[in-house]
Amino acid sequence: MKLLESFTILKEVNSIWYFNLYPENVKSFSTYYYNSSVIKFPDEHKDLITEDLRYSSKTAMELDQGYRAWNRGVMLKAENVSYGELIHKDKPDLNDNYLFIRKYFKWHRAYYFLIKNILTLHNPVKEISSFLKTKNVKKVDLINPHCEHSGYENYSSDLLNNSQLVSIIIPTLNRYDYLRDVLNDLENQDHKNFEVIVIDQTDNPDREFYNNFKLHKEIIFQEGKGQWLARNEAIRKAKGNFLLFFDDDSRVDADWISQHLKSIDYFDADISAGVSLSKVGDSVPENYKFLRWADQFDSGNALVKREVFEKVGMFDRQFDKQRMGDGEFGLRAYLSGFKSISNPYAKRIHLKTGTGGLRQLGSWDAFRPKKFFSPRPLPSVVYFYRKYFPREYVMNALVIGILPSLIPYKWKGKKYLYPFGALIAIFILPVLMIQLNISWKKASEMLREGDKIEWL
């Protein structure tokens, strides 16, 4: 797998990011990468991506511009460009990397980068010198100002005007109280041409429950349990060219379907990745508030063209009863050249109820095991990381994921507590190593077995 050029810090703090990888054998892909000889910024957005002359090289300055543009919703595309044409001749130097860290990340990241580099036998004199030279660099707001896409609001979508058939896919397990609200919300949608496919894995299903809703629906009572088992079955049954994935513990507005279709049409995209506003855990990220390239796929709120599944396959059943199956599918789609939009207008409220669904089948947090000597993280997480990313990236991602996981989930959004995670890790390091070793071995077995990707 080829890596896209970037600052060193990105592999330290955002290792498992789709845009660290180069999608091969595609004519066009969405990118944060910027090389002025092959990719041009739209004139109307140049005020969002001014040059920073403090960098020592044109390469570093352009990489900074590209990263800022990506995060601010300027949707760059590389079309008919080979991997070799994108590569700069020189690389950002150490000072440039520290400047980049100081600009866009919290202060402790620079210390982490410094300590890690010294411990891994980098030249300590050069590291400390670069660290001190950039100590007065002020942090920059990476999100604001951002691109508004002014033509979007009044855009007349052919997909809406032609009333495309949408297949809404909902797996459910022991959650009829919440599913009732979900189906009520669907009854009130302003886009009327859709079918609902419910895969009901409830232990003792209530077959009469569905008679209360005036929807074009197909209910499949499935004995086996697994979220990807359910979704793959529904994909096979779906009649629409647009498949909309939904969770059974969510609430949406009346324009939810139409906003998904509109964004795919406006941006000529293949996936509309709706945002999920959680009632539990982290606060709503700032970048959920505007249109941009998507760097994640949420199977609880995403519209996908059928042709994506025809080309890349369905969901990998290796992830059943674990986590990251949607992230793996999103990366697979990106690597095949499909374009995905992060869509704030197609939002859902995710209730994250404490019973039923994945909460019942297993851990619903990738890095927080239920038992003391259970794998940390879940083996499927390590399987996903190792399948696509270099070992160094994998190790960085595990460190970044494990330390915050030592803080209880209810305080997940309180990032000022994260340093305590590092202190806790020192005291329980032997336990963490045992947990990680269990996960690594199970992931190795999964990799030897190979994926369980099903095909249409």
Side-chain angles (χ1 to χ4, degrees), residues 386-401:
R386 291 173 60 189
K387 182 178 179 180
Y388 291 102
F389 292 91
R391 186 183 181 90
E392 184 180 1
Y393 284 62
V394 173
M395 300 311 297
N396 287 331
L398 292 175
V399 171
I400 292 166

Side-chain angles (χ1 to χ4, degrees), residues 149-245:
H149 298 287
S150 57
Y152 182 82
E153 184 175 353
N154 297 319
Y155 177 69
S156 179
S157 168
D158 287 340
L159 293 181
L160 291 177
N161 295 336
N162 296 333
S163 190
Q164 290 286 325
L165 175 63
V166 175
S167 298
I168 301 176
I169 292 171
I170 308 173
T172 191
L173 174 63
N174 297 332
R175 277 192 182 150
Y176 288 121
D177 288 343
Y178 298 97
L179 184 60
R180 180 178 292 106
D181 290 334
V182 167
L183 297 180
N184 283 333
D185 284 349
L186 295 182
E187 285 183 320
N188 294 323
Q189 291 296 300
D190 57 17
H191 181 87
K192 301 300 184 183
N193 191 18
F194 64 90
E195 62 173 352
V196 179
I197 305 173
V198 179
I199 308 294
D200 192 335
Q201 298 178 343
T202 302
D203 298 323
N204 296 298
D206 181 356
R207 296 175 183 269
E208 303 301 318
F209 167 81
Y210 298 97
N211 296 333
N212 299 318
F213 303 96
K214 296 179 181 179
L215 293 165
H216 178 50
K217 57 188 179 294
E218 180 174 359
I219 314 301
I220 301 170
F221 297 97
Q222 195 173 56
E223 291 187 6
K225 289 182 170 55
Q227 57 178 328
W228 311 117
L229 170 68
R231 290 190 172 101
N232 284 351
E233 177 65 17
I235 292 169
R236 281 188 285 265
K237 298 288 186 181
K239 298 180 179 68
N241 287 324
F242 296 89
L243 284 65
L244 181 48
F245 295 89

Side-chain angles (χ1 to χ4, degrees), residues 33-40 77-79 81 85-87:
Y33 185 94
Y34 179 46
N35 184 326
S36 61
S37 64
V38 292
I39 304 175
K40 303 299 181 184
K77 296 180 183 178
E79 297 184 350
V81 175
E85 290 176 279
L86 287 172
I87 299 302

Side-chain angles (χ1 to χ4, degrees), residues 245-257:
F245 295 89
F246 201 21
D247 275 349
D248 61 357
D249 60 345
S250 304
R251 302 301 306 272
V252 293
D253 295 332
D255 64 347
W256 177 62
I257 299 175

Side-chain angles (χ1 to χ4, degrees), residues 108 280-282 363-370 372 376 398-428 432 435:
H108 65 274
V280 181
D282 282 334
S363 174
W364 57 293
D365 184 272
F367 281 85
R368 290 176 172 86
K370 286 187 173 181
F372 204 60
R376 188 196 296 262
L398 292 175
V399 171
I400 292 166
I402 286 175
L403 293 183
S405 75
L406 301 176
I407 303 299
Y409 188 85
K410 64 180 179 179
W411 296 331
K412 184 178 178 181
K414 302 182 185 302
K415 295 186 178 181
Y416 60 85
L417 295 176
Y418 286 7
F420 291 101
L423 294 176
I424 296 170
I426 295 173
F427 289 102
I428 65 168
L432 290 178
Q435 292 175 329

Side-chain angles (χ1 to χ4, degrees), residues 284-348:
V284 179
E286 282 291 314
N287 59 14
Y288 274 21
K289 298 178 181 179
F290 58 94
L291 294 156
R292 61 186 180 89
W293 292 130
D295 54 354
Q296 61 181 3
F297 179 86
D298 180 356
S299 60
N301 184 16
L303 182 74
V304 184
K305 288 182 178 178
R306 175 179 289 275
E307 64 186 84
V308 178
F309 292 103
E310 291 173 344
K311 182 171 181 179
V312 308
M314 293 186 283
F315 296 106
D316 186 349
R317 291 283 310 284
Q318 285 279 24
F319 293 91
D320 267 336
K321 302 183 182 180
Q322 297 194 61
R323 301 287 293 180
M324 299 293 284
D326 41 7
E328 190 274 342
F329 173 79
L331 178 54
R332 222 183 324 140
Y334 163 74
L335 292 175
S336 295
F338 291 109
K339 291 187 279 294
S340 179
I341 303 297
S342 178
N343 186 355
Y345 300 103
K347 64 181 182 296
R348 66 156 173 162

